[in-house]
Amino acid sequence: MKGLLFSISFPTPHSQFHLPPTPLDSPMPHFFSTISDIELSEQIVYSALASLNQHKSKGIDNISPCVLARCAVPLTVPVLHLFTVCVKQHKLPDEWRIHRITPIFKSGDRFLITNYRPVSLLCILSKVFERVIYDQIIEFVTPVISNVQFGFLQHCSTVQQLLLFLDHLRYSKFNNSQLDTLILA
């Protein structure tokens, strides 16, 4: 089943669905015109390299995060130059777009394919670059993200989203108000 649509309605004086005002109704502020306006520094790159989890596996390029973390001081300037070129040219190296899918055993019978989960191995430097860019833009984007956005944000889990939904459901039930719900799966 591609999607599911249902509505839970309780007795209400309203005859149709009304959207409450959201913080996104106001115009979005203009923070930077292009991605090249992002400023990178040695401190930012050093922090990203030094904070790598050294126990993670090697990337597709066979460079260990342990090597990058332990050599953060001498690698900071060349990596900063590489990241700056990527930002200014709005382009990533082709090698950073190649992924290797590796099956990781979960549990059970090792001969059943359903007992494995796929893990995508990619270049560690591409992950560092992604983290640096994310850290640079998240502070600008956060004020305009809806307070009901849960996906891809820190400290916002699907469990929290479900609890919030159940709270809205309970509130609607006890206040005899309408709750319209659209669930896409």
Side-chain angles (χ1 to χ4, degrees):
M1 181 183 306
K2 290 250 182 203
L4 177 65
L5 173 68
F6 69 91
S7 176
I8 300 172
S9 296
F10 301 110
T12 178
H14 304 295
S15 62
Q16 61 185 353
F17 176 74
H18 296 283
L19 282 174
T22 66
L24 294 178
D25 290 339
S26 60
M28 291 180 64
H30 179 70
F31 295 112
F32 44 82
S33 58
T34 66
I35 192 78
S36 61
D37 292 340
I38 292 176
E39 294 292 325
L40 302 177
S41 69
E42 288 183 22
Q43 180 58 39
I44 292 169
V45 172
Y46 171 78
S47 295
L49 288 171
S51 65
L52 281 172
N53 184 343
Q54 298 182 28
H55 302 289
K56 293 284 185 172
S57 64
K58 295 178 182 179
I60 193 166
D61 53 3
N62 278 333
I63 297 175
S64 169
C66 181
V67 170
L68 293 175
R70 291 184 181 181
C71 299
V73 172
L75 288 176
T76 296
V77 173
V79 170
L80 172 63
H81 176 72
L82 176 63
F83 288 176
T84 304
V85 169
C86 289
V87 169
K88 294 219 182 292
Q89 292 182 358
H90 305 269
K91 189 175 181 192
L92 295 175
D94 290 336
E95 292 80 10
W96 289 6
R97 298 178 192 180
I98 298 171
H99 302 241
R100 181 178 44 207
I101 308 297
T102 302
I104 302 294
F105 178 69
K106 295 186 293 187
S107 65
D109 185 1
R110 290 190 177 268
F111 294 104
L112 290 176
I113 197 164
T114 56
N115 292 333
Y116 290 84
R117 65 180 177 87
V119 172
S120 180
L121 297 178
L122 48 138
C123 178
I124 302 296
L125 276 179
S126 70
K127 292 186 196 181
V128 174
F129 181 68
E130 179 181 343
R131 171 53 54 191
V132 166
I133 296 300
Y134 174 84
D135 290 345
Q136 292 294 304
I137 64 173
I138 192 64
E139 65 187 69
F140 297 111
V141 177
T142 300
V144 294
I145 295 177
S146 171
N147 61 352
V148 294
Q149 170 68 33
F150 281 84
F152 308 106
L153 294 177
Q154 287 184 336
H155 313 296
C156 295
S157 69
T158 54
V159 172
Q160 289 173 319
Q161 185 179 30
L162 286 172
L163 289 172
L164 183 63
F165 172 73
L166 288 174
D167 186 55
H168 287 301
L169 186 64
R170 181 193 57 79
Y171 178 83
S172 296
K173 170 70 174 156
F174 290 117
N175 291 307
N176 290 326
S177 60
Q178 180 174 329
L179 177 67
D180 295 318
T181 304
L182 173 67
I183 298 178
L184 305 172

